[in-house]
Amino acid sequence: MSTVTPQSEPKLDRDALAAMYEETFRNFEEGTITEGMVVAIGKDKVVVDIGYKSEGMIPADQFSHEELAQLKVGDRLQVYLEECEDADGNLVLSKEKADKMKIWEELETLHKEEKSIEGKIISRIKGGMMVDIGVKAFLPGSQIDLHPVRDLDGLVGKTFPLKIIKINHRRGNVVVSRRVLLEETRDRRRQTTLSTLKEGQLIQGTVKNITDYGAFIDLGGIDGLLHITDMSWGRVGHPSELFQVSDKVEVTVLKYDRETGRISLGLKQKSADPWTGVAAKYPVGTRVRGRVVSLTDYGAFVELEPGVEGLVHVSEMSWTHEVRHPSRVVSVGDQVEAAVLNIDPGSRKISLGMKQTAPNPWDMIEAKYPAGTRIEGKVKSLTDFGAFVGLEEGIDGLIHISDMSWTKHIKHPSELFKKGQKVDAVVIRIDKEKERLSLGYKQLSRDPWEEQIPNKYRVGDSITGKVSKIADFGLFIELDGDVEGLIHISEVGLDANVRMEEKFKPGDDVTAKIIKVDRDERKIALSLRDHQMDSDRRQVDEFHASQGGIDQTLGRAAKQSRKRNQSDSEA
């Protein structure tokens, strides 16, 4: 058996030993991450052996309380080699920087692989939000959601999945986006929805937006329009009456245009059309009860059953014809009784009448107020053409301005009547179809034009009156008994260059000659010129008559003088 003596072992020279020693320092570069083993845990530091010629120390404050409590000698750690030897020859390590570098490496990997990461919004800053994803990252306002977010402060403290859209380790900048993930989710849902969507399908959705003409429903990544006319078989004033944003709703797909991507939805189509069989259910003449659901200037809409409404026109609300607006008779929510006047199922229209449920006072008007009846009533209103007089509830008569006076020219009814005044009148005629009752005020007395005026005012007589009106064509003269006469401009007798307004004024006394009395036309024609000519003629006649008397007196005096002279001669 052979033995190996010490002299037989290979001899190691100093160079070999130095090389082996240097080998222990391989791969230890400052600014890199390496792995080490915990060899001691102190109050203010943790000693780690990374296989270097000396151990390194990590300040204890780089560990959390939980980490320190769980840390044991022999545990292996990832550490950052800051310096191989500081001024004191110590190995300087950092767990904190190792953790951050590891995070940056993970973030760069996530960015490269386009994966998401959870992030907690920690504060609001200019242009967006600050997010904690292990390091501080910037979330621009435009990347928070698919739509602008009004309450950004309400997001602080919330955690969302985010996607890194920009990263720069050297500058320490990270930009993240939540919108990108939402768009990806929406697109996936959209493709799923579109692949299964078909007309007639019932589908769940969420009210996304409300407009005057309808509501947009999110069906899962794609929006459909629920038009206001397809919301209910009944009347809908505004979509907000039925829906609010975020409401869940089940709708029917009415139409899907694959080229444009437009989807029309319906809600009322889920139930049967209530107008089916309406004509048989509500024949003309049927009395119905319903609820007033809306008012317009021209009438009131009454719901007979859900989805079936009829219109009571304002003219069909009362026999009195005094309803200026439906709100004076009914209010929304009132239960009313009405009669079916007309029905058009094709146009979905039913005409109703409320007044038809009460007796029509005009059915008995002819028997109660025959022509020639003298009545008493109260003036209810005045117009330019007459005065309306109320006889009883629902019955008004009109005294036309032409039936107010036999002789006087009435310019406005207010010259004779006042609102609320009690008056007597005579029934002239009745139009039951048009529901009109004509009254006369002047008919209370006998027509003076039959005998009185023709006997009192004769052609050829001169008469004095007052100027009541000056017109372009002549002068109106007020005579006794509220009778008016007209002096036509051709009978005034003025020179061509003289205007009537310069010669006459209202209220002036004028004497003129009656040249025509027209009983049928009820007109008296006067002439100022003829009266003046007659006056001039009388003056001439009187002058001639006075001249003849003087000649006779002088003749008698001359004869007597001759007789005296003759007597004197004879003597």
Side-chain angles (χ1 to χ4, degrees):
M1 181 175 180
S2 61
T3 59
V4 178
T5 61
Q7 289 79 6
S8 63
E9 292 181 359
K11 183 178 180 179
L12 300 177
D13 56 20
R14 291 180 176 273
D15 294 337
L17 290 173
M20 292 176 63
Y21 181 72
E22 290 295 330
E23 182 70 15
T24 62
F25 298 105
R26 69 184 186 277
N27 298 326
F28 291 105
E29 296 183 15
E30 294 181 355
T32 61
I33 295 177
T34 188
E35 187 178 72
M37 183 178 67
V38 176
V39 295
I41 301 173
K43 184 178 180 181
D44 57 355
K45 62 184 176 181
V46 175
V47 181
V48 178
D49 180 12
I50 64 171
Y52 194 60
K53 61 182 180 180
S54 62
E55 288 89 7
M57 291 175 290
I58 302 174
D61 58 7
Q62 292 189 10
F63 296 84
S64 66
H65 294 295
E66 292 79 5
E67 289 175 332
L68 282 175
Q70 297 176 3
L71 194 64
K72 301 185 297 296
V73 173
D75 288 349
R76 304 195 69 82
L77 297 176
Q78 293 286 325
V79 294
Y80 178 80
L81 179 56
E82 291 195 69
E83 292 182 88
C84 290
E85 292 184 10
D86 61 5
D88 298 325
N90 297 321
L91 175 66
V92 181
L93 303 176
S94 173
K95 175 183 177 297
E96 186 176 60
K97 289 185 178 180
D99 290 343
K100 285 188 176 181
M101 284 192 68
K102 186 177 180 181
I103 291 174
W104 278 103
E105 289 176 358
E106 291 176 353
L107 293 178
E108 288 176 344
T109 300
L110 291 173
H111 177 236
K112 183 177 180 180
E113 297 177 355
E114 296 186 352
K115 294 182 179 180
S116 63
I117 184 173
E118 292 289 322
K120 183 178 181 180
I121 298 178
I122 55 178
S123 65
R124 178 179 178 180
I125 61 176
K126 183 178 181 180
M129 311 296 287
M130 185 64 72
V131 183
D132 181 8
I133 58 172
V135 296
K136 290 183 178 180
F138 176 56
L139 174 61
S142 60
Q143 298 297 318
I144 296 175
D145 206 330
L146 294 173
H147 305 285
V149 179
R150 295 182 180 180
D151 184 17
L152 293 177
D153 292 330
L155 300 177
V156 176
K158 293 184 178 180
T159 301
F160 299 101
L162 305 169
K163 194 169 186 178
I164 300 170
I165 58 177
K166 186 177 181 181
I167 186 169
N168 189 321
H169 185 184
R170 185 169 57 84
R171 294 186 178 183
N173 292 337
V174 182
V175 181
V176 295
S177 171
R178 177 172 175 256
R179 177 171 180 167
V180 171
L181 294 176
L182 293 176
E183 289 176 343
E184 292 174 354
T185 302
R186 182 188 63 185
D187 291 342
R188 288 194 298 271
R189 293 177 59 200
R190 178 188 178 92
Q191 294 303 321
T192 302
T193 301
L194 291 178
S195 64
T196 60
L197 196 66
K198 59 183 179 180
E199 294 181 1
Q201 174 186 355
L202 285 176
I203 188 169
Q204 291 284 344
T206 304
V207 178
K208 185 176 181 180
N209 188 28
I210 295 176
T211 68
D212 291 338
Y213 55 86
F216 286 93
I217 311 298
D218 182 0
L219 305 176
I222 187 170
D223 294 344
L225 174 62
L226 175 59
H227 197 271
I228 188 172
T229 57
D230 290 311
M231 291 183 175
S232 171
W233 292 112
R235 176 179 297 272
V236 179
H238 194 275
S240 58
E241 297 175 7
L242 301 179
F243 303 106
Q244 293 182 351
V245 174
S246 300
D247 282 353
K248 302 294 183 182
V249 59
E250 185 182 56
V251 290
T252 300
V253 179
L254 301 180
K255 186 177 181 181
Y256 171 37
D257 190 331
R258 295 185 181 276
E259 293 184 1
T260 62
R262 293 180 179 177
I263 304 174
S264 298
L265 306 173
L267 181 63
K268 70 181 184 182
Q269 288 79 4
K270 293 173 58 181
S271 60
D273 186 354
W275 278 86
T276 303
V278 162
K281 190 174 183 180
Y282 302 105
V284 174
T286 305
R287 286 201 176 188
V288 295
R289 287 190 64 82
R291 180 176 63 90
V292 177
V293 291
S294 65
L295 300 178
T296 67
D297 291 338
Y298 53 85
F301 285 92
V302 178
E303 184 184 59
L304 305 182
E305 61 181 78
V308 179
E309 296 176 5
L311 172 65
V312 181
H313 194 270
V314 68
S315 63
E316 302 296 343
M317 290 188 168
S318 173
W319 295 112
T320 63
H321 296 286
E322 292 182 351
V323 182
R324 296 183 179 179
H325 194 275
S327 59
R328 296 191 176 186
V329 179
V330 295
S331 301
V332 173
D334 287 354
Q335 293 288 333
V336 298
E337 185 176 11
V340 178
L341 305 181
N342 186 38
I343 185 167
D344 185 353
S347 300
R348 297 176 177 267
K349 293 181 179 179
I350 299 179
S351 298
L352 303 174
M354 290 171 55
K355 69 182 184 182
Q356 286 77 7
T357 60
N360 185 355
W362 287 91
D363 290 340
M364 301 174 287
I365 193 69
E366 290 179 324
K368 192 171 184 179
Y369 301 105
T373 303
R374 182 166 179 158
I375 59 92
E376 182 185 77
K378 184 180 290 187
V379 177
K380 301 186 75 172
S381 63
L382 299 176
T383 68
D384 292 338
F385 56 85
F388 284 95
V389 179
L391 280 65
E392 59 182 69
E393 181 64 28
I395 301 296
D396 291 345
L398 173 65
I399 303 177
H400 194 270
I401 195 169
S402 62
D403 289 312
M404 291 185 178
S405 175
W406 291 112
T407 56
K408 189 175 181 181
H409 178 67
I410 306 298
K411 298 177 182 178
H412 193 275
S414 58
E415 296 177 20
L416 292 179
F417 305 112
K418 294 181 180 179
K419 187 176 180 180
Q421 174 185 345
K422 287 186 177 181
V423 296
D424 290 334
V426 175
V427 178
I428 299 176
R429 55 188 170 275
I430 297 173
D431 188 339
K432 181 181 174 182
E433 297 299 324
K434 295 182 179 179
E435 298 183 356
R436 292 177 181 174
L437 179 63
S438 298
L439 303 176
Y441 183 71
K442 68 182 182 181
Q443 288 80 359
L444 292 170
S445 60
R446 189 173 181 180
D447 186 357
W449 281 93
E450 293 179 359
E451 294 182 4
Q452 183 180 350
I453 290 178
N455 292 334
K456 184 175 181 180
Y457 302 100
R458 298 180 180 276
V459 175
D461 291 349
S462 292
I463 190 168
T464 300
K466 292 183 179 296
V467 177
S468 60
K469 183 179 178 182
I470 301 174
D472 294 338
F473 53 85
L475 302 173
F476 285 95
I477 308 300
E478 184 179 348
L479 308 176
D480 289 340
D482 292 333
V483 179
E484 277 189 342
L486 173 65
I487 304 176
H488 192 269
I489 190 171
S490 61
E491 299 296 336
V492 175
L494 295 178
D495 292 338
N497 59 348
V498 179
R499 298 177 59 192
M500 287 189 294
E501 290 83 352
E502 298 175 358
K503 186 69 175 177
F504 303 98
K505 294 180 179 179
D508 287 353
D509 288 331
V510 173
T511 300
K513 182 179 180 179
I514 300 174
I515 59 175
K516 185 179 181 181
V517 177
D518 190 332
R519 180 183 299 178
D520 295 333
E521 294 291 331
R522 299 173 182 270
K523 293 179 180 179
I524 297 178
L526 305 175
S527 176
L528 194 59
R529 183 185 60 182
D530 286 3
H531 171 71
Q532 188 64 45
M533 290 174 62
D534 290 347
S535 178
D536 292 345
R537 191 177 297 111
R538 285 194 300 270
Q539 290 181 8
V540 171
D541 290 343
E542 291 175 0
F543 174 75
H544 288 307
S546 63
Q547 289 296 323
I550 293 174
D551 291 342
Q552 290 177 2
T553 301
L554 292 175
R556 285 195 298 271
K559 186 176 181 180
Q560 291 175 0
S561 177
R562 286 196 299 271
K563 286 182 178 180
R564 284 196 298 271
N565 292 336
Q566 185 178 359
S567 298
D568 290 341
S569 299
E570 290 177 351

